Amino acid sequence: MALSRYRQVFGLPGVRRLLLIALFARIPGSAVGVAMTLHVVLTLKEGYGAAGLVTACATIGMALSGPLFGRLVDRRGLRLMLAITTIGEATFWFIAPSLPYPALLGTALLGGFLTLPVGATSRQALAAIVPPEHRKAAFSLDTIFVETSYMLGPALGVLLATQVSTTVTLVAIGGGLVFSGSVLYLVNPPIRSAETSGPVRPVPRKEWLTRELVGALVISAGAVLVLAGTDVAIVATLERHGQVSWTGLVIVVWCLVSLSGGFVYGAMTRTVSPLVLMTTMGLLTIPIGFAADWWWLCLAILPAGVLCAPLLAATTEWISRLAPESVRGEVMGLQQSALTLGSAMGAPFVGAVMDATSPAMGFVAAGALVTMVAAGVLLLQRPRTSPASVSSEESVRSAS
């Protein structure tokens, strides 16, 4: 390992400030799911299914807006997108607490569409600021800060919602997102590298939307799918053994292990293929279901957990390498949509499997699915033999 890589990344102008802004901007965003669920269930007196519908509508909106806002950033700059989404966040979150359920469900799609894309903005700016040889360390740091925000945000959201009120929680989330968007607007991090001068030549989509990039986007979706599925399977396993109260500790252990893995990966001198990381994590997820106690679960989750952050960092580095600078915002938006959809699919898929079988099969389903996804991406990226080359090869054989 080379810890000097982190010192070099932090020494680049604007990196430290960007990572800190992104960290604090992600904390309110990470609390949205749990806060909205508690608001629908506790305040509006609806069921968890109704809360799930609100979350699903918001997720669809987020998935739709990712590439569209990214394309807007590529063509018109970062500030216009930040102005639109910050105003949108302010409008939605300050009226949402007073809406009855039908109105909340109806506006959730628009609220999700206007979500501040902190992750995509952070990754695009890092790709512009950080030279290619240091991006592995930079994206590892970004992933570490993502893990940190998801350790803090949901816990703070639950605490505020249960000890104060869900209305105050939603207003606080809205205030945090508006403040974050305003700070990003004022800072206006670069989206083009310092070497780029003048207008950038637009690249047709058919030139950059390659099989390799599609594979990288599928890996992004698969990575968060297995994480969301594992999250649900942990809760179900502990509930089956009457140990739900230990859920928070197991999740914290999981996050800390992932964070540690990301730190080690970013300091490594060699790069590991995301396909290798995803296949390994999928295979190591399968046996977690054999754990029959909370402390066995903490131990069983370590091997797969240590690969979570490295997989996300490696995939982002891969995508940043494939994305031409003139369309990097759209590509990062596509990755954000892939991450959103993968997260949205993971919990229902694993939950349906566990309902039909057992909690242990949730881990098996999540691990087996992403392993097959990795194999599918590997087949997708195999070079295809063109008809001309086949004819040429047959000619050589007949001549011989």
Side-chain angles (χ1 to χ4, degrees):
M1 292 193 302
L3 295 179
S4 60
R5 292 175 178 270
Y6 288 122
R7 289 195 294 269
Q8 291 168 340
V9 169
F10 277 125
L12 294 171
V15 168
R16 188 176 306 179
R17 179 177 60 182
L18 174 64
L19 289 173
L20 287 175
I21 293 173
L23 168 62
F24 288 106
R26 282 174 168 131
I27 290 175
S30 66
V32 167
V34 66
M36 187 60 74
T37 298
L38 291 174
H39 180 71
V40 172
V41 173
L42 300 180
T43 303
L44 300 182
K45 306 301 181 183
E46 301 287 342
Y48 284 98
L53 283 177
V54 175
T55 303
C57 289
T59 300
I60 293 171
M62 291 169 62
L64 291 174
S65 67
L68 295 178
F69 280 138
R71 188 178 180 88
L72 179 65
V73 171
D74 290 331
R75 297 189 171 190
R76 301 291 299 274
L78 188 62
R79 278 186 161 166
L80 177 60
M81 182 276 293
L82 290 174
I84 293 173
T85 54
T86 301
I87 294 172
E89 294 278 28
T91 304
F92 175 76
W93 286 104
F94 289 114
I95 67 170
S98 60
L99 294 177
Y101 177 76
L104 180 63
L105 181 62
T107 57
L109 179 66
L110 181 59
F113 186 87
L114 295 172
T115 296
L116 181 69
V118 179
T121 301
S122 173
R123 290 187 289 270
Q124 183 176 7
L126 282 175
I129 297 172
V130 180
E133 63 270 19
H134 295 306
R135 284 181 188 166
K136 179 158 72 72
F139 288 130
S140 294
L141 285 170
D142 186 61
T143 306
I144 288 170
F145 285 172
V146 171
E147 293 283 4
T148 304
S149 68
Y150 275 89
M151 289 173 63
L152 297 174
L156 292 173
V158 171
L159 180 65
L160 191 59
T162 54
Q163 299 302 314
V164 185
S165 74
T166 60
T167 300
V168 171
T169 305
L170 295 188
V171 173
I173 287 174
L177 291 171
V178 170
F179 178 76
S180 301
S182 302
V183 171
L184 281 169
Y185 183 91
L186 293 174
V187 172
N188 193 26
I191 57 172
R192 301 273 188 266
S193 61
E195 293 77 16
T196 303
S197 58
V200 180
R201 182 184 71 87
V203 181
R205 187 175 285 108
K206 64 181 180 180
E207 292 185 18
W208 56 263
L209 194 57
T210 60
R211 283 185 294 163
E212 187 177 2
L213 179 57
V214 171
L217 295 173
V218 171
I219 291 294
S220 295
V224 291
L225 187 151
V226 70
L227 296 181
T230 301
D231 197 2
V232 174
I234 288 173
V235 176
T237 299
L238 292 173
E239 183 180 20
R240 180 167 189 173
H241 295 288
Q243 299 176 334
V244 179
S245 59
W246 293 99
T247 301
L249 177 61
V250 176
I251 297 294
V252 167
V253 169
W254 187 26
C255 290
L256 288 174
V257 170
S258 173
L259 190 150
S260 302
F263 181 81
V264 172
Y265 177 76
M268 289 171 56
T269 55
R270 61 185 294 268
T271 299
V272 183
S273 167
L275 288 172
V276 173
L277 290 170
M278 186 165 177
T279 302
T280 306
M281 189 172 78
L283 293 174
L284 291 174
T285 299
I286 293 174
I288 297 175
F290 291 107
D293 208 330
W294 69 267
W295 58 274
W296 273 115
L297 193 56
C298 286
L299 293 176
I301 209 168
L302 295 182
V306 78
L307 299 177
C308 296
L311 173 57
L312 293 172
T315 306
T316 302
E317 183 190 6
W318 185 15
I319 290 174
S320 72
R321 176 173 55 82
L322 297 174
E325 192 166 49
S326 61
V327 294
R328 188 176 286 151
E330 186 172 357
V331 174
M332 291 300 179
L334 284 170
Q335 186 194 15
Q336 188 65 43
S337 296
L339 294 170
T340 301
L341 292 174
S343 178
M345 292 186 297
F349 169 71
V350 172
V353 171
M354 292 190 298
D355 287 340
T357 55
S358 67
M361 289 303 298
F363 295 104
V364 174
L369 179 61
V370 297
T371 302
M372 290 189 291
V373 167
V377 171
L378 185 62
L379 290 175
L380 176 70
Q381 295 183 0
R382 290 181 60 184
R384 298 176 181 173
T385 306
S386 64
S389 62
V390 171
S391 302
S392 179
E393 183 178 348
E394 290 177 350
S395 300
V396 170
R397 286 179 179 175
S398 61
S400 59

